[in-house]
Amino acid sequence: VTRKGMQGLWAGNVANCARCGPNKAIQFFMYQPVITACVHATGGEMNSAQLAIIGAVVGAIGTATMYPLDLLSWRQAVARPGTYKNAFHAVSCAVRKGGLLELYRGIGPTMLMAIPYYGAQFGAFEFARTEYIRCTGNTEISNMHTMLFGCFSGAAASTISHPVELVCRQLQVQMETGSSDKFKNMSSCIKHMYKTGGIRAFSRGLLLNNSRLIPATGIQFLIYELCQNAMISAAKSKKEAVKEYA
């Protein structure tokens, strides 16, 4: 706010929105078909741990696909005012600096963050839904319960992956500010954080992060389930209409 005013709170939001939408679309597009394929291959139902592994895989694929926009959104957010005119200018600057590979700089720490995050997210959601059905015997899950399960999965995923995310963001910010002599690699960043802040350094900002991710994840799963149910209903109605005319 001091450097950029109130607009600074939305710095890099265009690139962030352009990244989040396709990223989630890739994950949910792949998630259910992969589960179906695994069920057919194994001949049995998938448990929560197996679903967590599938979630980690599709999450990693989505993250890797959209990583350039993730990097650019962070660069815009931490850059000095006037550094980038817009998202396209940020892309051109990055490519001129290091070629196309510059758009994937620092992807290693991000993938280390994404794998446990999405594994925990999908695994926790499926675990909560499975336990609800087992305890209540009710296979019809309301929208409110779906959102609550999503919030639970968001809390679990955020808490588990937060330390790695902090390290990842430190490295990304360093790349943008140019102080490359501070951290040589991920290991030196972890050592520096522990030395300066102890174990609490790895939970710094967790409450704020949870306040953002918990409702966002709840809404994400709710919208997914609503869209999926709407498409299933539309497909059934179409089949019934075809039968009537036949």
Side-chain angles (χ1 to χ4, degrees):
V1 176
T2 304
R3 290 170 54 191
K4 301 182 180 181
M6 290 300 295
Q7 291 183 346
L9 298 176
W10 282 269
N13 190 51
V14 174
N16 189 53
C17 290
R19 171 188 63 86
C20 286
N23 188 2
K24 301 303 179 185
I26 291 170
Q27 292 171 27
F28 284 111
F29 174 76
M30 295 181 63
Y31 183 61
Q32 200 60 48
V34 172
I35 292 175
T36 303
C38 290
V39 169
H40 286 314
T42 59
E45 293 295 323
M46 308 292 288
N47 58 40
S48 298
Q50 292 169 325
L51 292 172
I53 294 173
I54 294 174
V57 171
V58 298
I61 293 172
T63 300
T65 304
M66 304 309 300
Y67 179 77
L69 286 176
D70 183 25
L71 179 63
L72 291 173
S73 67
W74 264 92
R75 286 193 172 187
Q76 284 185 273
V78 303
R80 295 176 181 175
T83 302
Y84 302 122
K85 297 177 182 179
N86 49 48
F88 297 104
H89 184 224
V91 172
S92 64
C93 289
V95 173
R96 282 200 305 269
K97 182 180 178 181
L100 290 176
L101 289 178
E102 182 69 18
L103 298 176
Y104 287 90
R105 188 178 182 187
I107 192 174
T110 299
M111 295 303 291
L112 287 176
M113 176 191 71
I115 291 172
Y117 178 84
Y118 289 110
Q121 184 188 85
F122 283 99
F125 180 81
E126 297 295 349
F127 172 79
R129 183 163 62 175
T130 302
E131 286 301 302
Y132 173 81
I133 294 173
R134 185 182 66 81
C135 294
T136 64
N138 183 16
T139 57
E140 296 292 329
I141 301 176
S142 67
N143 293 336
M144 179 59 68
H145 282 101
T146 298
M147 188 169 182
L148 288 174
F149 299 157
C151 290
F152 168 72
S153 69
S158 174
T159 303
I160 290 172
S161 66
H162 188 70
V164 182
E165 182 178 5
L166 285 178
V167 175
C168 173
R169 297 311 182 193
Q170 288 267 16
L171 293 172
Q172 285 185 340
V173 170
Q174 175 181 274
M175 291 174 192
E176 179 59 27
T177 56
S179 55
S180 58
D181 58 335
K182 188 175 181 180
F183 307 128
K184 300 297 182 183
N185 48 43
M186 191 175 184
S187 177
S188 64
C189 183
I190 293 173
K191 290 178 181 178
H192 174 79
M193 289 176 63
Y194 182 77
K195 185 177 180 180
T196 56
I199 196 67
R200 291 184 178 181
F202 298 96
S203 61
R204 190 173 298 152
L206 177 60
L207 183 60
L208 181 61
N209 202 43
N210 278 347
S211 67
R212 174 179 64 89
L213 287 174
I214 289 174
T217 309
I219 294 170
Q220 167 188 310
F221 276 102
L222 174 61
I223 292 175
Y224 169 69
E225 292 292 336
L226 289 175
C227 291
Q228 182 175 243
N229 292 336
M231 287 188 288
I232 292 173
S233 297
K236 287 181 178 179
S237 299
K238 187 176 181 179
K239 286 182 180 179
E240 291 174 358
V242 170
K243 287 181 180 179
E244 289 179 3
Y245 283 111

